[in-house]
Amino acid sequence: MKHLVLLCILAVTGLTTVAQVNYKTREEVPEKYKWNFDDIYTNWDAWEADLEAINQDMESIQAYKGKLGESADNLIALSQIQESLMKKAYKAYQFVSLQSTVDNRNMELQAKLQKVQLMFAQFGVETAWMSPEMLQIPEATMKEWIASNDELKVYQFDLMDMYRLQKHVLSEKMEQLMSYYSNVKSTPGKVFTALSTTDIEFPEIELSNGEKVKITPGGYSNVVTNNKNQDDRKAAYEAFYDLYYKNKNTYAAIYNGIVQSDWASARARKYPTCLDAALEGNAIPTDVYLNLINTVKQHTEPLQKYAKLRKKVLGLEKYYAFDGSISLVDFNKKYPYDEALDIVTASVLPLGKDYQAKLKTATSSGWLDVYENPGKRSGAFSSGVYGVHPYMLLNYDETLDYVFTLAHELGHTMHTTLSNETQPFATHNYTIFVAEVASTFNERLLLDYMMEKTNDPLERIALLNQTIRGIIGTFYAQTMFADYEYQVHTLAEQGRPINADILTNVWKELADTYYGDVSEETMYSGYAWTRIPHFYNSPFYVYQYATCFASSAKLYKDVTEGNKKDRRAAIERYITLLQSGGNDHPMEQLKKAGVDLSKPETILAVINQLDTLVDQLEEEINKLED
């Protein structure tokens, strides 16, 4: 096609390339690009001392069993001991876990990590009496104690929220019994991991150029993302999905075990549905979940418009799911880490100089582990250590995608920093429901900044495509996953069978609704459910990616549009949200910031944003012909 020929001609001009950083050992990585663990403990003796102190705290807690209702002083003492224990426990866990993350071949670290995990499990069993006993204190008495004792005010939110959830707390013996099943409940997820990683044998295929490639998840992703030969992409797709297709009945049995376990736990705690059990802890109305999946399902036109544009630009007679990742342009510019850091730092200036200064501190003080090294886990994350600072992992590869990942994870890091600086330990930990707001907000600021700074038509196309794919992956795909989980759990609640054929039919119907007839069907089209880890490891989790994206879209609109006074007020509300940690229910926190997720228009803001971006992408592509 004319578009494709023109893009290929332009793609070879005007690109800056830099060799990717590749370290053979961790020792080769400069210190300024590695985590500083001394900020947690300076040596293992200090770690061991905290473990011993934790065990002493556990013993001290037991002394208050049966005495919580006697006086406010007893409740204060117990709460303070528990807080002291948890501060040390999180530090002890993170000290080992983070080191293991960058050196997962170290069996000594693995053994120490297991030691801390067993300590957490023991704590759960030994404190099973606490919630039932606290609930024996009348709510009116608790309010009086809090009003009369400043030491309890810091725990007020959690203490009073306990009464809201009172009907779902069981007797002491039943709570202890439920705690015994915590490891059993996680077994199906572990079976999924073993089947999909440990025991799986990935096939090798030969590409059209004679190259042989092992189709691991990474190998598959590399082919469908970078190989311009559709037959090669098809071969990789078929080889990869055939593994899951052949085990479809096993995956169905595993997932059915998870769903039935969720339903059993929901009934045990007197919840009417699995969805209620998943949402009520954070006081999320089920209408928010249903509003999300129903509104998105009714507005899939931008998604289909983007797929049709891709088919046209790529010059494909038939368009398949495995064509969805190949780049629209040959844009291979590299962004050295220090250059990317300058770009991201500059992009957050709209949030104020104080925010920007804190970000500079985060990126220059041993908080980030930047480059890949042998034994380091893949991916990226940001994880807080209260009283220390967040630790942020990257495997930076100099691609545009990773520039956005850098901005994304720094959003999390800044959220944690602001929360920890402002909130006491009792309310520092924000919920997953708001966790992705700051990260996706930063990505949108980055798009604005980079679009403003470049006139390169290929870079502009790549930037728009990056953002569009982010919306599809974070908003549309996660909402589709959430709809799937809801439908399958509803089958369990109705006592209806769940098997491979039924799961595949649910998936196919959703895929048809979302993508229409743009994409061609294959024998593997309905089996993507077999390989999505969140289904097996964290049910009813993924919807929060979509609600966070909708929230950040609304907040971004408020911060960037309107008069100067309104924008300043919106920024203040947004920063307050980031500082609020877990001091209120997340829906209330978002409402204070100006977001109401129960309204369809909040969800439609993202859908309309995608529609506009697809139109803008098409305009940029058409300019290449001029």
Side-chain angles (χ1 to χ4, degrees):
M1 284 182 68
K2 188 175 181 181
H3 276 157
L4 185 59
V5 173
L6 184 59
L7 294 180
C8 290
I9 293 171
L10 290 175
V12 298
T13 64
L15 297 182
T16 301
T17 59
V18 179
Q20 181 178 332
V21 177
N22 185 19
Y23 294 104
K24 294 181 180 179
T25 67
R26 182 162 178 81
E27 288 68 32
E28 291 180 9
V29 182
E31 291 301 317
K32 69 175 183 177
Y33 298 127
K34 292 192 291 189
W35 279 332
N36 179 10
F37 296 113
D38 287 349
D39 291 345
I40 308 177
Y41 296 111
T42 55
N43 54 59
W44 284 104
D45 288 341
W47 179 78
E48 290 283 1
D50 261 1
L51 289 188
E52 179 59 32
I54 289 168
N55 286 326
Q56 292 175 5
D57 285 342
M58 283 190 187
E59 292 179 9
S60 298
I61 284 173
Q62 298 307 315
Y64 292 92
K65 186 176 180 181
K67 301 177 181 178
L68 290 186
E70 293 179 1
S71 68
D73 288 342
N74 284 352
L75 182 58
I76 291 168
L78 175 69
S79 299
Q80 291 176 342
I81 293 170
Q82 185 179 16
E83 178 176 312
S84 174
L85 183 156
M86 295 309 297
K87 284 180 179 177
K88 292 190 286 281
Y90 283 126
K91 282 180 64 180
Y93 174 80
Q94 291 286 51
F95 188 64
V96 184
S97 177
L98 292 169
Q99 291 187 69
S100 178
T101 294
V102 296
D103 186 13
N104 59 33
R105 297 178 298 186
N106 187 323
M107 292 299 104
E108 184 179 349
L109 286 173
Q110 294 291 337
K112 288 178 177 177
L113 182 60
Q114 192 172 48
K115 181 178 180 180
V116 180
Q117 290 170 333
L118 289 171
M119 179 189 70
F120 272 105
Q122 179 188 356
F123 178 73
V125 172
E126 292 188 5
T127 59
W129 58 271
M130 287 175 58
S131 289
E133 186 167 328
M134 280 190 185
L135 285 170
Q136 292 177 13
I137 302 170
E139 186 173 356
T141 301
M142 183 67 77
K143 287 180 178 178
E144 182 182 333
W145 285 0
I146 292 171
S148 304
N149 295 273
D150 289 340
E151 299 95 332
L152 280 179
K153 286 183 171 63
V154 72
Y155 307 110
Q156 180 172 357
F157 176 73
D158 284 340
L159 288 173
M160 297 313 302
D161 198 49
M162 175 179 63
Y163 292 98
R164 180 180 65 85
L165 299 169
Q166 181 172 7
K167 61 185 176 182
H168 304 297
V169 177
L170 308 177
S171 67
E172 178 186 340
K173 288 184 178 180
M174 287 300 295
E175 286 292 344
Q176 187 175 51
L177 182 63
M178 292 288 282
S179 74
Y180 292 149
Y181 283 90
S182 59
N183 284 333
V184 177
K185 187 175 172 63
S186 66
T187 297
K190 293 175 182 176
V191 175
F192 166 79
T193 300
L195 179 63
S196 304
T197 56
T198 309
D199 294 340
I200 200 167
E201 293 187 11
F202 294 107
E204 186 176 77
I205 65 168
E206 184 173 332
L207 302 177
S208 57
N209 63 0
E211 179 187 359
K212 292 184 178 179
V213 177
K214 192 157 190 170
I215 304 301
T216 61
Y220 169 69
S221 177
N222 184 55
V223 173
V224 298
T225 302
N226 300 307
N227 193 306
K228 297 190 179 303
N229 186 305
Q230 189 183 38
D231 289 338
D232 285 345
R233 297 197 297 272
K234 180 181 180 182
Y237 166 81
E238 290 178 344
F240 187 62
Y241 270 93
D242 194 57
L243 290 169
Y244 298 92
Y245 175 79
K246 286 177 179 176
N247 289 307
K248 60 183 181 293
N249 293 312
T250 303
Y251 282 113
I254 294 170
Y255 190 49
N256 184 41
I258 289 167
V259 173
Q260 298 297 343
S261 176
D262 290 342
W263 181 218
S265 295
R267 281 180 291 176
R269 294 196 175 278
K270 305 181 181 72
Y271 287 103
T273 69
C274 297
L275 182 61
D276 284 282
L279 302 188
E280 193 167 346
N282 286 326
I284 308 296
T286 56
D287 286 349
V288 169
Y289 195 102
L290 299 175
N291 174 48
L292 172 71
I293 61 176
N294 291 331
T295 302
V296 174
K297 196 155 50 176
Q298 292 165 13
H299 296 89
T300 58
E301 299 87 351
L303 188 63
Q304 295 174 27
K305 181 164 69 172
Y306 174 65
K308 290 175 182 176
L309 177 62
R310 288 186 58 82
K311 180 180 178 181
K312 177 183 175 183
V313 172
L314 294 172
L316 298 175
E317 182 179 344
K318 291 185 176 182
Y319 185 82
Y320 294 89
F322 51 78
D323 296 319
S325 299
I326 194 74
S327 176
L328 292 176
V329 293
D330 289 334
F331 182 76
N332 300 310
K333 180 178 178 179
K334 298 296 183 181
Y335 298 84
Y337 172 72
D338 291 328
E339 177 185 319
L341 192 55
D342 288 342
I343 292 170
V344 172
T345 302
S347 73
V348 301
L349 185 57
L351 296 179
K353 291 183 178 180
D354 184 58
Y355 183 98
Q356 190 181 58
K358 291 180 188 298
L359 187 143
K360 288 179 179 177
T361 298
T363 56
S364 61
S365 307
W367 298 15
L368 275 63
D369 205 89
V370 178
Y371 292 113
E372 184 179 18
N373 64 254
K376 182 178 178 179
R377 64 151 279 183
S378 61
F381 66 75
S382 179
S383 185
V385 183
Y386 189 84
V388 184
H389 57 71
Y391 281 77
M392 182 173 141
L393 179 130
L394 300 169
N395 282 277
Y396 191 77
D397 63 4
E398 302 187 339
T399 61
L400 178 62
D401 180 62
Y402 234 110
V403 180
F404 276 81
T405 299
L406 176 62
H408 181 104
E409 295 303 333
L410 280 171
H412 288 309
T413 296
M414 290 302 299
H415 191 174
T416 300
T417 299
L418 291 168
S419 174
N420 289 0
E421 285 179 353
T422 311
Q423 297 295 320
F425 180 80
T427 55
H428 82 283
N429 198 21
Y430 51 86
T431 65
I432 297 299
F433 195 79
V434 297
E436 296 296 335
V437 172
S439 55
T440 52
F441 192 102
N442 275 19
E443 287 190 67
R444 186 54 201 260
L445 290 178
L446 178 63
L447 173 68
D448 285 352
Y449 180 82
M450 294 188 74
M451 287 292 285
E452 181 183 341
K453 295 296 180 181
T454 184
N455 292 316
D456 180 349
L458 294 178
E459 187 168 27
R460 292 178 69 82
I461 290 170
L463 285 165
L464 288 167
N465 197 52
Q466 172 81 25
T467 304
I468 288 168
R469 287 178 55 77
I471 293 175
I472 291 172
T474 308
F475 180 76
Y476 269 99
Q478 305 305 325
T479 303
M480 178 177 163
F481 295 169
D483 201 339
Y484 175 82
E485 289 188 284
Y486 174 69
Q487 290 190 41
V488 176
H489 279 79
T490 299
L491 291 176
E493 292 159 9
Q494 295 172 347
R496 295 167 63 186
I498 297 173
N499 55 43
D501 288 343
I502 289 169
L503 293 173
T504 300
N505 286 336
V506 172
W507 188 270
K508 279 186 174 181
E509 288 180 8
L510 277 169
D512 288 345
T513 300
Y514 271 67
Y515 294 96
D517 58 0
V518 183
S519 184
E520 302 288 331
E521 188 172 319
T522 73
M523 67 176 289
Y524 304 110
S525 293
Y527 292 93
W529 59 267
T530 58
R531 59 175 294 258
I532 297 172
H534 277 111
F535 290 167
Y536 301 87
N537 297 318
S538 46
F540 289 112
Y541 179 98
V542 295
Y543 84 98
Q544 296 168 112
Y545 288 118
T547 53
C548 283
F549 205 103
S551 299
S552 69
K554 172 64 166 61
L555 291 166
Y556 166 82
K557 185 173 183 291
D558 292 345
V559 166
T560 58
E561 296 181 8
N563 61 51
K564 188 174 182 179
K565 181 180 178 182
D566 289 343
R567 293 200 305 272
R568 189 183 299 115
I571 291 172
E572 289 178 2
R573 291 196 303 271
Y574 176 62
I575 296 298
T576 299
L577 171 68
L578 301 186
Q579 293 173 331
S580 62
N583 66 2
D584 203 345
H585 297 125
M587 280 288 289
E588 295 306 310
Q589 291 176 322
L590 288 170
K591 284 179 181 178
K592 293 172 189 175
V595 178
D596 188 349
L597 286 163
S598 65
K599 296 180 178 179
E601 49 264 36
T602 304
I603 307 302
L604 286 169
V606 185
I607 294 167
N608 294 334
Q609 184 183 99
L610 177 62
D611 195 52
T612 299
L613 288 168
V614 174
D615 288 341
Q616 192 175 352
L617 175 64
E618 186 169 20
E619 289 175 12
E620 293 289 344
I621 290 171
N622 288 337
K623 288 178 184 178
L624 294 175
E625 294 183 336
D626 297 340

